[in-house]
Amino acid sequence: MGWAPVYNLVKKIPRGRVITYGQLARAVRLRGGGRTAGRAMAACPSGRGIPWHRVVGAGGRLLIREPLASLQRRLLESEGVRVVENRVALREHAWTMKGGKERTRRLTPEN
DNA sequence: ATCTTGACTTCGG
DNA sequence: TCCGAAGCCAAGA
């Protein structure tokens, strides 16, 4: 599959902000939801300036396993994102695509 | 074609 | 807060 749309959006995430896999999946309309977003990011090519470290799990949890885990944490902290107990404060760093249709976390899916 | 593995999320207990 | 279960789906074996 082509993950290009995913990477293109990730490239737009500004320094100091993060997005969740679920949010990313919805924004790009991935059929498999967050899981698929995760697959895409796992296959993320390096050396192309894609800020992969700015993609986190629901609730701001850092889900990446150890080889890259420490790198992600380091990169995030290097841009001012505080990481506590393997998680970042979404209330402060969640990226809300300005002007876009992504709203901040809707708690109840309509009715 | 079947089965396993994930950089997932949500819900209920 | 911490599981377990269920829904999801692509890739690799």
Side-chain angles (χ1 to χ4, degrees):
Chain A
M1 300 295 116
W3 303 126
V6 178
Y7 304 145
N8 284 322
L9 180 53
V10 172
K11 277 190 282 190
K12 295 179 182 171
I13 306 174
R15 281 173 50 91
R17 328 277 354 235
V18 301
I19 190 178
T20 67
Y21 292 97
Q23 221 180 12
L24 179 55
R26 288 191 301 266
V28 189
R29 306 279 151 78
L30 291 180
R31 302 183 315 155
R35 184 139 231 161
T36 298
R39 262 206 65 43
M41 293 316 290
C44 179
S46 54
R48 285 209 218 176
I50 299 174
W52 57 272
H53 58 284
R54 311 216 258 243
V55 182
V56 305
R61 285 214 192 68
L62 300 191
L63 308 174
I64 300 177
R65 310 271 198 169
E66 214 18 84
L68 295 171
S70 30
L71 174 57
Q72 176 179 38
R73 174 169 185 157
R74 206 195 71 219
L75 289 171
L76 285 172
E77 298 182 318
S78 77
E79 39 188 76
V81 177
R82 202 171 49 138
V83 180
V84 179
E85 290 300 301
N86 230 47
R87 101 160 39 185
V88 308
L90 284 184
R91 299 309 276 277
E92 302 175 21
H93 304 103
W95 178 44
T96 41
M97 293 159 256
K98 290 194 259 192
K101 49 283 140 67
E102 264 298 315
R103 280 273 85 56
T104 34
R105 170 132 280 270
R106 74 181 310 153
L107 301 175
T108 46
E110 44 279 279
N111 248 338

